[in-house]
Amino acid sequence: MLKRIRVAVIGTGIGRQHIVGYAELPDLFEVAYICDLNRERAEEAAQLVPGTQVVTDFAEVLADATVDIVDICLPPRMHAPFTITALKAGKHVICEKPLAGSMADVRRIKTAAEEANRHVFPVFQYRYGTSYYALHDLKKLGLLGRPYVLSMETHWQRTPSYYEEQPWRGTWAGELGGVLVSHACHIHNLATHLVGPITQVAAFAETRVNTVETEDCAAIAMRSSEGAMITSSVTLGGAGNLTRFRACFEHLTVTSSDEPYQVCSVPWRFVAADPARQAEVDAIVAAAPHIPPRFPGFFTDIHRRLTGQPDFFLPEIEESYHSIELITAFYDSARSGRIVSLPLPHDHPMAEGWINA
Ligand SMILES: NC(=O)c1ccc[n+]([C@@H]2O[C@H](COP(=O)([O-])OP(=O)(O)OC[C@H]3O[C@@H](n4cnc5c(N)ncnc54)[C@H](O)[C@@H]3O)[C@@H](O)[C@H]2O)c1
């Protein structure tokens, strides 16, 4: 029988959705603890997983040697320090995005993980879904060819009530940035996972929608290591929420769904450049295995990794590093008006973060 992994969820905003995900996988995970300073919120979430312990003190979770994973769903500024503390206590860590507010902090987390011989699993759940898996199958089989262009839209709607709900939102100190840090990082990660790390960035970023400190609109042009030319349009001033991407490869054009929270869970459109190859493409797409979408897919992959089975495509800490490096490059380009080349040097002026640089 497979080992049931004991997890503690820290923070019950999006953490509640994580708990829903674990509850769908009762043979793989046991939610041992739910921890939130707001006991009422934690107790409400605990209804989803009867038998779990509700606590308000993170130290209580760390003191229990039977907890395997600490799942950090706290406000962004707390991610790096809580992740390092949990690693030092001998726990594997799942951490919501952004993993940290600087490239240097991601390196510190990586060192702490290596010293503790524990894993850090950054939350990039978009990739879990059958269509995205099919796209990778097509790539492996040579049916995509060279990537020409990718266009991405992250057009979400955030009104003043969103910021009033949690005072850390929209602040540099609490959220560590705006829409580039919080909402667009998922689709940017999908692009780099698909067509390689970003090598050049030109970005504009402005606050245009709400009266907040951080940016809520951006227009970005990028080039990836595989030569893809990428454009990303980002706003929190959309009418409703939409995330979408479209990629034109040498042999195929793919258009994603526009489902904002789980873009990969709804079937995508795959069109062969040569109509004579469409049947071959369709057969590969139809044969792709069912990948549970969003958090259950991600958590299943974590379980596979921790129990010695091959995972589908678990996000690694290196991907988190690139995600934070990319955000650093966005701010560098937007503030300087220059095209920025990556990888960024370790002594980049924003290596310790973009907030006070
Ligand atoms: N992956 C996604 O799709 C997704 C979606 C939404 C939010 N997020 C990310 O999740 C993180 C949390 O966002 P949120 O909207 O859930 O925030 P939130 O403020 O709604 O929830 C955070 C919770 O943490 C609790 N908390 C704060 N300090 C604590 C401490 N020291 N010990 C225990 N509990 C503590 C708060 O009481 C609160 O209930 C953010 O980084 C956000 O960017 C990710």
Side-chain angles (χ1 to χ4, degrees), residues 31 46-52:
V31 179
Q47 310 286 320
L48 296 160
V49 276
T52 193

Side-chain angles (χ1 to χ4, degrees), residues 101-108 321 324 328 344-354 357:
S102 72
M103 299 188 299
D105 271 351
V106 181
R107 284 202 300 276
R108 288 180 189 109
Y321 182 79
I324 300 302
T328 310
L344 300 179
H346 286 194
D347 64 353
H348 184 276
M350 294 183 186
E352 287 288 349
W354 46 80

Side-chain angles (χ1 to χ4, degrees), residues 13-14 36-37 41 74 79 96-97 125 166 168-169:
I14 191 65
D36 198 306
L37 290 179
R41 208 178 188 195
L74 297 169
H79 291 178
E96 264 297 350
K97 49 77 184 172
Q125 80 273 20
Q166 300 297 346
W168 56 263
R169 292 182 180 149

Side-chain angles (χ1 to χ4, degrees), residues 10-16 18 35-38 41 55-58 72-79 82 96-98 123-126 156 158 162 165-166 168-169 175 181-182 186 261 294-295:
I10 321 299
T12 49
I14 191 65
R16 193 180 189 286
H18 286 218
C35 173
D36 198 306
L37 290 179
N38 182 338
R41 208 178 188 195
V55 294
T56 53
D57 185 356
F58 185 51
I72 297 175
C73 300
L74 297 169
R77 70 176 189 287
M78 304 171 83
H79 291 178
F82 274 68
E96 264 297 350
K97 49 77 184 172
V123 176
F124 286 122
Q125 80 273 20
Y126 265 28
W156 289 46
R158 294 297 185 235
Y162 171 77
E165 221 174 80
Q166 300 297 346
W168 56 263
R169 292 182 180 149
E175 193 165 4
V181 172
S182 285
H186 286 294
Y261 283 98
R294 210 174 178 220
F295 298 128

